[in-house]
Amino acid sequence: MNLAMIGTGYVGLVSGVCFSDFGHDVICVDVDAEKITMLERGEVPVYEPGLDDMMARNMAAGRLRFSTDLAAGVAGADVVFISVGTPARRGDGHADLTCVYAAAREIARSLSGYTLIVCKSTVPVGTNREIGRIIAQENREAGFHVASNPEFLREGAAIEDFMRPDRVVVGVEDPKAKALMARVYRPLTLREAPIVYTDPESAELIKYAANAFLATKITFINEIAALCENVGADVKSVAKGMGMDKRIAPKFLHAGPGYGGSCFPKDTRALARIGQEANSPMRIVEQVIATNEAVKHRMIDKVMDLCGNNVNGKKIAVLGATFKPLTDDMRDSPALTIVPALVEAGANVHVVDPQGRKEGANLLVGVSWQEDVYKAIRDASCVLILTEWNEFRALDLDKVARIMREPKMADLRNIYDPAEAGAAGLTYVSVGR
Ligand code: NAD
Ligand code: UGA
């Protein structure tokens, strides 16, 4: 099939590359000419494990192309995917649909023959119908249907998630459109991946409900972690014991410095907004948003406390800046709240992150970036672990303690054993233990 992806960010690029790997002919379109030039040269603009090889293979096979020319991309396509960004709107937290509707208008002008338009972006309930209305208004001749197909991939594991999804969700009403979607995803259904066919409104809501539920699960364990600290329990044991119940499951029960990333923060805010507008307040989600903010501030207090409530002039080594490992994405990373607070308090902050520097350099003002973890730690008065990159999991703790000015560690991802850290001579704090 001929597919066009409009928007070549994390989702558009990963989906486009994976669809081409299925054997479809894919053109990925973006308004960002610099990004398209890079991609045409075979360079991947984001860090996503395995994406470069798969992209190169499919470009070489002639199944994957990149362009800034939306009209040409849409004209030859059986199915056009909208995968542009839907960030939180400044002020009210609503999903900003400017790019989605702009893309819909532009797509409409280029339609010829029958085309299926599929919205992959995360969008509030009713957006797919509005896309249909816009296209019909812009191009009265166009033969088309609209389908909702929210994406559930995670950054850092995007290819695996796309190729082996727990489920594919398709919100579609027309049988012809449904049959086309079945053809698009046939390679996955052959591998027994389940497809949930439903109406567009339910598909749109499944995406927000799933993300909000996962954000709630993380926030729940973060609140249990705070309780553990006050009553002398260990959150890792609590999470393990809870997670063994199949109805609860062990995933997303890791306590930490609060969830971040390009989606949970904006999608929880958008769902709260959707609830308010539908006169059906999402009180749990509203509380999750507030508690997650409080968690980040609790982490600042924890570090300040470890440092005797004075970091002025002290060197602090921060290990990890991205919102999670295996990505270069800094969007809504807890580091963006915690690091500026330390800089503000006068700390001399040295940051190490295997992939975060390019994006982080503009976002974390007044810090020094280091490539070598031990160089960052030398003469520091505190090591602060913010992201659980593998590179930080096997430090020589004896060496760490030896080269520090004051051997203190705040491990906000619970990657070390408190007894081991103590034995190495570190004053060690973690989360919920
Ligand atoms: P992104 O910001 O990385 O990329 C969006 C791209 O769209 C940008 O390259 C931008 O230049 C391009 N764009 C904007 N308007 C355009 C237009 N009119 N024509 C062509 N290109 C245009 O966004 P993302 O992280 O890929 O997210 C896209 C959507 O997918 C969002 O709704 C997001 O919530 C959802 N989502 C993201 C993830 C993720 O892990 N990042 C996972 C699941 C769902
Ligand atoms: C998340 C979802 O997992 C995807 O299914 C979804 O498609 C995506 O959002 C989206 O809609 O964009 P992602 O943001 O890439 O994916 O990352 P996650 O692995 O979910 O982690 C999100 C945040 O939660 C990170 O800051 C991570 O450190 C934190 N987290 C996660 C915890 O603190 N504890 C956990 O147990 C799990």
Side-chain angles (χ1 to χ4, degrees):
M1 298 172 83
N2 289 314
L3 311 183
M5 305 298 306
I6 311 303
T8 309
Y10 279 89
V11 165
L13 182 59
V14 170
S15 309
V17 169
C18 290
F19 279 141
S20 69
D21 211 59
F22 290 174
H24 297 311
D25 267 314
V26 180
I27 179 155
C28 293
V29 177
D30 206 287
V31 284
D32 184 340
E34 210 178 309
K35 195 180 266 190
I36 293 299
T37 308
M38 272 183 87
L39 288 161
E40 280 175 324
R41 282 200 302 260
E43 294 166 25
V44 182
V46 292
Y47 176 73
E48 183 60 50
L51 190 56
D52 44 3
D53 285 350
M54 193 183 269
M55 189 173 110
R57 193 165 71 238
N58 286 288
M59 285 174 82
R63 286 191 295 262
L64 179 64
R65 290 173 300 133
F66 300 96
S67 174
T68 51
D69 187 349
L70 184 142
V74 168
D78 304 307
V79 184
V80 176
F81 287 86
I82 299 177
S83 49
V84 300
T86 50
R89 200 160 65 189
R90 238 172 242 273
D92 64 4
H94 216 304
D96 185 341
L97 300 174
T98 312
C99 290
V100 172
Y101 292 149
R105 272 189 290 276
E106 231 188 304
I107 291 166
R109 290 195 280 272
S110 314
L111 290 178
S112 58
Y114 175 83
T115 314
L116 177 61
I117 319 296
V118 182
C119 184
K120 219 175 213 327
S121 298
T122 303
V123 292
V125 179
T127 306
N128 276 266
R129 286 204 197 275
E130 182 61 13
I131 291 171
R133 204 190 55 73
I134 288 173
I135 295 174
Q137 190 182 42
E138 290 283 325
N139 183 346
R140 291 181 196 282
E141 313 292 302
F144 74 96
H145 285 111
V146 177
S148 165
N149 175 218
E151 181 51 56
F152 297 92
L153 61 79
R154 283 165 304 164
E155 291 179 17
I159 292 183
E160 176 67 15
D161 284 352
F162 195 93
M163 289 301 197
R164 280 173 231 291
D166 289 344
R167 78 316 205 176
V168 172
V169 171
V170 176
V172 68
E173 281 168 336
D174 182 82
K176 182 174 172 182
K178 184 176 171 185
L180 270 174
M181 286 305 279
R183 270 181 66 201
V184 168
Y185 280 107
R186 193 158 178 274
L188 287 189
T189 41
L190 289 175
R191 285 194 214 148
E192 317 261 305
I195 301 196
V196 178
Y197 289 105
T198 181
D199 56 275
E201 285 73 16
S202 302
E204 291 164 333
L205 199 49
I206 287 170
K207 175 64 196 175
Y208 280 111
N211 271 2
F213 193 86
L214 292 169
T216 303
K217 198 172 177 189
I218 297 166
T219 306
F220 183 84
I221 202 65
N222 283 339
E223 211 164 50
I224 292 288
L227 179 61
C228 284
E229 288 176 16
N230 288 352
V231 300
D234 179 336
V235 74
K236 277 202 156 183
S237 294
V238 176
K240 190 172 175 190
M242 284 171 64
M244 282 174 170
D245 185 325
K246 289 195 183 66
R247 294 167 302 174
I248 297 174
K251 288 186 180 158
F252 280 65
L253 280 181
H254 299 288
Y259 62 76
S262 66
C263 290
F264 285 175
K266 81 166 173 64
D267 291 348
T268 44
R269 286 201 287 271
L271 182 57
R273 194 71 209 169
I274 292 167
Q276 282 158 13
E277 287 184 0
N279 203 19
S280 188
M282 297 280 102
R283 295 208 208 288
I284 294 174
V285 177
E286 286 170 4
Q287 189 56 52
V288 163
I289 297 165
T291 302
N292 192 57
E293 273 314 300
V295 168
K296 293 187 242 173
H297 290 279
R298 197 170 81 79
M299 296 301 135
I300 297 169
D301 294 344
K302 189 187 277 288
V303 177
M304 290 301 290
D305 194 41
L306 178 67
C307 296
N309 282 312
N310 179 12
V311 292
N312 195 18
K314 291 183 183 171
K315 178 175 177 183
I316 296 185
V318 171
L319 311 192
T322 51
F323 78 98
K324 66 174 201 175
L326 293 176
T327 182
D328 55 0
D329 201 336
M330 288 286 300
R331 287 180 279 185
D332 266 307
S333 172
L336 298 178
T337 305
I338 296 168
V339 171
L342 299 174
V343 173
E344 176 77 7
N348 174 14
V349 177
H350 289 242
V351 184
V352 196
D353 190 287
Q355 294 294 334
R357 184 172 184 166
K358 196 170 92 199
E359 227 193 288
N362 293 325
L363 298 170
L364 294 176
V365 181
V367 307
S368 309
W369 288 83
Q370 302 288 344
E371 297 300 321
D372 181 70
V373 67
Y374 290 104
K375 200 171 158 204
I377 290 171
R378 184 171 295 283
D379 295 328
S381 295
C382 177
V383 174
L384 170 56
I385 300 175
L386 282 187
T387 318
E388 69 278 31
W389 284 93
N390 275 343
E391 285 85 338
F392 306 145
R393 284 181 184 273
L395 296 177
D396 176 347
L397 293 184
D398 292 319
K399 179 174 171 184
V400 168
R402 207 168 50 240
I403 64 174
M404 291 182 75
R405 175 152 299 163
E406 298 174 76
K408 295 178 178 175
M409 178 180 274
D411 173 5
L412 303 190
R413 296 290 184 171
N414 290 349
I415 59 181
Y416 286 103
D417 175 28
E420 238 176 83
L426 289 163
T427 305
Y428 174 87
V429 294
S430 54
V431 181
R433 300 190 292 174

